[in-house]
Amino acid sequence: MRKVDLSMILPDMRLGKSIYHYNQLLLTAGINNISRFSDSLLKLGITSIYVEDEISTDIEITDAISDVTRLKCKDALQNAINRFRVQGSFDMCSISEATSSLIDEILLRPDVLICLNDIATTDDSTLVHSINTTVFSLLIGQQLKLSPIELKALAEGTILHDIGKTLVDPKILYKNGILNTDEFEIVKQHTIAGYELLKTNPLLTELSRIISLQHHERLDGSGYPYGLTANEIHPFAKIVAIADMFDALTAERCYRKSLTNYQAYQILAHESTIKLDAPLLGQFLKNIAIYPNGTLVNLSDGSRGIIKIQNPGLPFNPIVMVLNTIDDKDVRLYDLDLSSTFNITIQDSNT
Ligand SMILES: [Fe+2]
């Protein structure tokens, strides 16, 4: 299986991973001739999908969490948002159940570099973002050996970190273009609004609530809402700042082309010199597949290939299936393990 831009879909490709819109199944994995759905998918804000074709048959794409848990989380979060809009309160039981499932899966995951493979539509991108950010935060929390109680607080606070956005005018929140100063000031208020909203639920601890308030603060004081500096920012908010930013950079939304994991890595690495917590970022990057399985890459020796298998602890040195083009068709040549090939490196990637 591999991820392919919709514009590159060929007739012999099958859908590799089912596509959901909220919790509705849109297209089931295995469907042939998927190019006929390209226009409909584009209208939903989907720009790339997972496919299976001849050269990707033995490339496995493993997700950090199961579809069942992902759907459970989306459902719980959507219900919490809906209920808050109608009743001004929300149900923590389903959020608590959903985050427990997330924690269980993260703690049980095999020791491999992870990537998240959910295809978000424009409409459910907020839900997908909140869940992805929670998974990334838990990965850091796991590395830090947080206690079960701390992991639970981190998960609950992260999945609800942007709940304050339900109070922001959707016209501003989803504006297609750059926000003016007044609009940005309004968006910034989602942090304080979220914190106040979460205070109304006695089942949430301050440890969870502080994430909503501080996840846009930056170590150099350039963040918001209060411009706090390094020691003033809670460690949980520093974790979520990294997770939130990585997912925002790599997400495909609103017809915006996402950055590759490597491009996001470069930005985060740069930001960690002044804005993000460098040791926490180091913990995070150790666990992320910088070049996810199925990614097309160009190598420094002029050859090209598809990422086939990750080498744990070596995100820049996966095993690559090297390709050749014969009669306009890609054919497999051999597998190249970049962890033991010191003179060949990845030059660039397309996803
Ligand atoms: Fe936010």
Side-chain angles (χ1 to χ4, degrees), residues 83-238:
R83 197 161 142 186
F84 172 72
R85 283 193 175 125
V86 176
Q87 300 178 5
S89 63
F90 60 91
D91 172 25
M92 260 315 285
C93 291
S94 52
I95 291 282
S96 179
E97 245 180 63
T99 50
S100 292
S101 302
L102 270 185
I103 294 169
D104 289 347
E105 290 199 12
I106 295 293
L107 294 184
L108 284 175
R109 82 189 169 88
D111 184 26
V112 292
L113 300 172
I114 72 132
C115 63
L116 291 173
N117 310 312
D118 198 13
I119 299 284
T121 64
T122 303
D123 289 343
D124 70 1
S125 60
T126 309
L127 302 181
V128 172
H129 170 66
S130 296
I131 295 159
N132 287 354
T133 305
T134 307
V135 173
F136 290 143
S137 293
L138 284 172
L139 275 180
I140 301 174
Q142 183 196 29
Q143 291 291 307
L144 297 175
K145 303 204 182 329
L146 295 183
S147 70
I149 291 173
E150 289 170 319
L151 280 178
K152 185 77 175 141
L154 178 64
E156 290 181 353
T158 310
I159 205 165
L160 295 166
H161 75 285
D162 269 342
I163 193 84
K165 285 186 175 172
T166 54
L167 298 169
V168 177
D169 182 352
K171 279 191 206 122
I172 297 175
L173 202 55
Y174 303 111
K175 182 180 169 185
N176 215 344
I178 296 167
L179 300 177
N180 64 37
T181 312
D182 289 345
E183 289 166 339
F184 189 42
E185 285 306 316
I186 292 170
V187 170
K188 284 180 181 177
Q189 292 305 309
H190 81 274
T191 49
I192 297 170
Y195 180 67
E196 293 300 326
L197 198 165
L198 297 182
K199 262 190 186 170
T200 64
N201 197 307
L203 295 175
L204 270 172
T205 63
E206 178 64 13
L207 212 48
S208 295
R209 290 193 292 257
I210 202 78
I211 292 170
S212 179
L213 186 64
Q214 295 187 354
H215 68 279
H216 287 289
E217 298 287 3
R218 297 293 179 258
L219 303 195
D220 62 352
S222 63
Y224 65 84
Y226 299 128
L228 302 179
T229 52
N231 294 335
E232 299 168 313
I233 306 171
H234 193 277
F236 278 19
K238 291 177 185 171

Side-chain angles (χ1 to χ4, degrees), residues 70 179 275 283 290 346:
R70 198 187 291 280
L179 300 177
K275 292 176 193 282
Q283 298 284 0
I290 299 293
I346 295 173

Side-chain angles (χ1 to χ4, degrees), residues 68-84:
V68 173
T69 293
R70 198 187 291 280
L71 294 176
K72 192 171 169 184
C73 289
K74 276 188 192 174
D75 215 27
L77 191 53
Q78 187 60 55
N79 286 340
I81 291 168
N82 291 346
R83 197 161 142 186
F84 172 72

Side-chain angles (χ1 to χ4, degrees), residues 236-247:
F236 278 19
K238 291 177 185 171
I239 291 173
V240 179
I242 292 167
D244 183 35
M245 218 171 141
F246 186 82
D247 189 65

